[in-house]
Amino acid sequence: MKYQFKQYNILPGFGLTLGYTVVYLGLLVLLPLAALTLSALQMTWPEFWSAISSQRAIRSFALTFGTSFIAAVINTIFGLLIAWCLSRMSFPGRKIIDAMIDLPFALPTAISGIALTAVYAPNGILGEPLARLGIKVAYTPIGIIIAMILVGLPFVVRTVQPVLAELERELEEAALGLGASNWQTFSKVIFPLVLPSLLTGFTLAFARNLGEYGSVVFIAGNMPMKTEITSLLIVTHLEQYDYAGATALASAMLIISFVLLLTINLLQTWSGRRLK
Amino acid sequence: MTISITNITKSFGNSKALDNISVDFTAGELTALLGPSGCGKTTLLRLVAGLEQADPGCGGRIIFNGQNVLADTAGKRKVGFVFQHYALFRHMTVFDNIAFGLRVRKKSQRPTKAEIKERVYSLLELVQLGNMADRMPSELSGGQRQRVALARALAIEPEVLLLDEPFGALDAKVRTELRRWLRQLHDKLNCTSIFVTHDQEEALEVADRVIVMNKGRIEQIGSPDEIFHQPASEFVMQFLGEVNVFHGRIESDDPQMVHFYDQTGQTDQPNARMLIRPHDLDISTEPDTDKRQIPATITKIQTAGPSVRLDCRDNNGKIVNVRISHDIFNRLQLFIGQNIFLTPKQLQIYRSGQK
């Protein structure tokens, strides 16, 4: 079968739009990434390998992906809860809370980092009582996770909220009328229908967490091997004029992220296919 | 199952959707709730289903077979509910949709897998969708979706079947087919069924009993025949089909003495309205002695259709609709501009201030 490239479309300018999309993505995304790959290619394989397989680098990868994943999972659970609350319940101040959800988008990340550090430091408002209980938040991976939860929150809420708002009440009524319990109605009817958007939100939050820098560096403490995320390690390399090392780490990070995001996207397509 | 509703009031905000309603539904009957949009018919149906709660403090009761179910949840009442827009679970196959009500039961009451399979397939046969078990709802037509929704509702073996404008979203031809089929199905099932509709034709054709509602109150309860031929109020008469309304004056209590029509065209101080259906007007080309005769002029003739439709203009300039058979039309050889005389065969009179 011959692939039909030109499809009839009611909107004109298909060629122009596609061309613009390719050029735009090329200039803004692909070109810088290609330059990065190119400079990484100038290294020999052993050089590259030693740059990314040092103990410090591996620890930073594990920390970055681990904390990003945990933060994204927590955001997914509580994001769903908040989205449910905002789309299904009416209470005084709902609009204000709705608007506050977007604040982490607008806030410069350094500011949220400093604010979180102030609160969670051993002498901070929350840090002090927690320290007395023996829980250290600032300068530990828990602090990193909290910073990532803050910046990733809007993604889940904003992707799930419209889907929940459009979900017909009648579906719930039908399930309850057929004798389903509240939990069965949620798990068998509502959850499968919001799952694709939940996965989208998770992916966005996870991706954002992987690249997060500003808010994390303040609360992390940046102790090598312990609380040093990859983004920070790259900056450290740069400050020491070790461009090759920085590039190698960045490329590795890029490849792993790409593979992970692609997998999640495929998973999401699969889960969404049944809901046409 | 007999359903008895007494003194139920339901408000949304300041407006009363149902105003002190009392009505009984006889076991095994198919009842239609008929009325214009906003008359409270859907609210009444949802109250019976338990999807809506009556106003606290209205003192009303909803009784299923002698038991007050007012405080029971929708799931506990075991009623089958069919929604206007199907409300199928779109992430489940037709089979899983129908099996839902059985699978969510507690382990002790849940049928085995084989029993569920058997029940679902027999329901699929019943709704004539035997080979559709593995389809997704999105792959079905509107009529098929509604039948799946019906099968899903019947899976829990309800003694009460409630249908909220079940054919409202379907096109005209499918709608007529499905409502005849629903009537046959109801006779087979032997459960108490209530359906909501704003389509008088549907109600009159399908139901054993029709309840006409208006503004949160019941206007009339009766067989389709009673509702159509002996409307209890002007509203019922108007709602159940086309009518011509004439304003006139009652000069004594005897309706025969009503001087409704006046050749000069003016009636002083009208105090009553006379309602006549278009098919209840006899047409003649010559005047006679009947005092009630209405002289008019034909302004439009529409012969396409099972009967001939005439638009006439009376002496007051008012349009009067008349329907006559093709036979009469051909015999009288009517034409546009012709002067004719209309005699009511049957009419309803409502005095001003009366409903």
Side-chain angles (χ1 to χ4, degrees):
Chain A
M1 201 176 74
K2 206 181 132 205
Y3 182 70
Q4 208 180 348
F5 186 71
K6 242 190 145 158
Q7 290 167 324
Y8 176 74
N9 201 324
I10 201 139
L11 290 171
F14 175 70
L16 191 69
T17 322
L18 184 69
Y20 187 77
T21 308
V22 170
V23 171
Y24 193 80
L25 275 177
L27 284 177
L28 284 169
V29 181
L30 284 177
L31 200 64
L33 291 185
L36 177 71
T37 319
L38 214 66
S39 76
L41 283 175
Q42 284 168 348
M43 280 186 277
T44 63
W45 178 248
E47 272 173 2
F48 179 79
W49 185 248
S50 72
I52 64 165
S53 65
S54 74
Q55 195 70 347
R56 194 173 168 190
I58 287 177
R59 285 287 181 88
S60 84
F61 285 137
L63 181 73
T64 309
F65 285 100
T67 49
S68 297
F69 181 80
I70 295 170
V73 168
I74 295 175
N75 259 338
T76 306
I77 297 165
F78 287 94
L80 176 62
L81 198 78
I82 294 171
W84 178 265
C85 214
L86 290 177
S87 60
R88 281 305 170 88
M89 296 169 192
S90 67
F91 48 91
R94 195 178 66 91
K95 290 260 178 230
I96 294 171
I97 293 183
D98 204 354
M100 267 167 57
I101 299 290
D102 288 329
L103 272 184
F105 272 154
L107 216 57
T109 49
I111 293 180
S112 28
I114 292 167
L116 281 175
T117 314
V119 171
Y120 284 105
N123 55 354
I125 307 169
L126 283 174
E128 204 189 337
L130 283 173
R132 249 183 276 138
L133 291 171
I135 304 166
K136 248 190 107 197
V137 176
Y139 318 126
T140 68
I142 300 175
I144 300 177
I145 291 171
I146 287 177
M148 286 175 169
I149 289 174
L150 175 70
V151 293
L153 175 73
F155 292 101
V156 178
V157 179
R158 288 294 176 242
T159 47
V160 176
Q161 200 181 355
V163 177
L164 275 178
E166 265 183 39
L167 208 65
E168 307 98 305
R169 278 276 165 94
E170 292 185 343
L171 291 176
E172 290 157 51
E173 291 174 349
L176 292 170
L178 288 166
S181 64
N182 287 339
W183 169 249
Q184 283 169 326
T185 305
F186 174 76
S187 63
K188 287 174 187 278
V189 175
I190 298 168
F191 187 73
L193 292 170
V194 296
L195 183 63
S197 64
L198 211 52
L199 274 175
T200 306
F202 171 81
T203 315
L204 290 173
F206 183 54
R208 170 70 202 259
N209 291 349
L210 287 178
E212 185 52 29
Y213 177 76
S215 61
V216 172
V217 289
F218 290 99
I219 201 167
N222 310 323
M223 283 166 282
M225 317 289 280
K226 283 200 183 98
T227 56
E228 188 179 49
I229 56 168
T230 309
S231 314
L232 187 93
L233 189 58
I234 293 170
V235 174
T236 314
H237 278 290
L238 288 178
E239 280 169 351
Q240 294 162 355
Y241 304 104
D242 177 13
Y243 294 124
T247 315
L249 283 175
S251 323
M253 184 85 180
L254 192 71
I255 291 162
I256 304 172
S257 304
F258 185 72
V259 170
L260 277 175
L261 293 177
L262 192 69
T263 315
I264 301 173
N265 269 330
L266 289 175
L267 202 70
Q268 190 203 334
T269 318
W270 171 79
S271 81
R273 201 170 33 203
R274 287 166 72 86
L275 305 176
K276 260 174 294 175
Chain B
M1 167 119 60
T2 12
I3 301 167
S4 172
I5 290 170
T6 37
N7 305 109
I8 287 287
T9 298
K10 171 74 187 170
S11 329
F12 294 106
N14 284 329
S15 67
K16 276 186 181 167
L18 293 176
D19 190 1
N20 201 17
I21 292 271
S22 296
V23 62
D24 290 342
F25 298 93
T26 319
E29 265 192 354
L30 176 55
T31 308
L33 291 176
L34 177 67
S37 53
C39 73
K41 56 192 192 298
T42 296
T43 309
L44 181 58
L45 193 78
R46 289 171 59 86
L47 264 157
V48 174
L51 297 173
E52 215 79 70
Q53 295 302 315
D55 284 358
C58 72
R61 280 179 301 173
I62 298 177
I63 290 165
F64 283 11
N65 269 355
Q67 282 214 308
N68 194 353
V69 295
L70 199 64
D72 288 355
T73 58
K76 230 175 155 190
R77 292 189 197 184
K78 272 194 81 177
V79 297
F81 200 97
V82 176
F83 295 87
Q84 181 179 4
H85 299 290
Y86 328 126
L88 292 177
F89 307 131
R90 56 182 181 276
H91 58 294
M92 295 182 197
T93 61
V94 167
F95 185 97
D96 293 338
N97 263 286
I98 299 174
F100 186 86
L102 301 172
R103 286 179 177 160
V104 295
R105 285 192 188 163
K106 283 197 206 90
K107 261 233 167 74
S108 54
Q109 292 156 16
R110 196 185 305 156
T112 64
K113 269 195 174 158
E115 283 167 349
I116 290 178
K117 196 171 170 187
E118 200 190 312
R119 176 93 61 84
V120 171
Y121 275 101
S122 78
L123 281 165
L124 279 169
E125 283 307 317
L126 186 71
V127 298
Q128 298 158 3
L129 292 170
N131 49 354
M132 303 272 179
D134 297 326
R135 300 275 188 97
M136 297 305 285
S138 58
E139 297 166 330
L140 303 178
S141 72
Q144 290 171 332
R145 284 182 208 189
Q146 195 56 291
R147 279 184 279 158
V148 173
L150 194 58
R152 182 179 68 179
L154 293 174
I156 57 169
E157 294 182 313
E159 285 179 73
V160 180
L161 184 61
L162 306 174
L163 306 105
D164 184 11
E165 306 233 8
F167 315 126
L170 303 170
D171 60 59
K173 194 157 180 292
V174 181
R175 199 156 63 205
T176 1
E177 277 169 23
L178 264 188
R179 72 187 186 214
R180 288 195 185 137
W181 174 80
L182 174 72
R183 178 69 237 189
Q184 291 166 2
L185 189 74
H186 169 83
D187 293 338
K188 230 187 276 183
L189 290 171
N190 190 33
C191 63
T192 312
S193 311
I194 307 172
F195 78 103
V196 158
T197 182
H198 59 255
D199 180 350
Q200 28 94 14
E201 223 180 283
E202 194 169 291
L204 297 181
E205 184 183 322
V206 177
D208 294 313
R209 229 156 48 106
V210 180
I211 298 175
V212 186
M213 293 184 65
N214 182 33
K215 293 180 185 158
R217 289 174 169 279
I218 291 172
E219 289 275 338
Q220 189 174 3
I221 302 175
S223 69
D225 223 53
E226 287 164 359
I227 298 277
F228 191 79
H229 291 295
Q230 294 146 42
S233 66
E234 189 176 346
F235 172 84
V236 176
M237 174 118 185
Q238 297 250 23
F239 194 74
L240 284 173
E242 267 189 293
V243 280
N244 295 301
V245 184
F246 300 93
H247 295 271
R249 189 158 180 82
I250 297 179
E251 285 159 353
S252 85
D253 279 344
D254 180 6
Q256 285 304 311
M257 297 293 289
V258 172
H259 188 78
F260 258 104
Y261 229 81
D262 175 335
Q263 305 276 350
T264 61
Q266 286 303 313
T267 311
D268 300 334
Q269 298 171 311
N271 67 356
R273 290 170 310 284
M274 173 169 71
L275 273 64
I276 310 171
R277 296 218 183 272
H279 60 261
D280 282 332
L281 281 164
D282 264 341
I283 200 162
S284 64
T285 47
E286 301 295 330
D288 63 24
T289 52
D290 194 328
K291 208 174 158 187
R292 299 177 306 174
Q293 222 178 28
I294 303 161
T297 313
I298 300 176
T299 57
K300 194 183 160 195
I301 300 174
Q302 188 194 320
T303 51
S307 59
V308 179
R309 187 194 160 101
L310 303 172
D311 283 7
C312 305
R313 198 179 289 278
D314 70 7
N315 288 350
N316 295 333
K318 190 182 138 48
I319 296 285
V320 184
N321 291 318
V322 186
R323 271 186 189 275
I324 55 173
S325 71
H326 283 276
D327 286 349
I328 294 174
F329 176 75
N330 290 333
R331 185 152 41 83
L332 294 175
Q333 298 206 312
L334 300 171
F335 53 88
I336 291 175
Q338 190 175 15
N339 290 319
I340 48 151
F341 301 88
L342 303 167
T343 315
K345 286 182 282 189
Q346 210 185 16
L347 53 82
Q348 298 282 339
I349 288 168
Y350 301 98
R351 288 175 187 247
S352 300
Q354 190 187 341
K355 268 211 292 188

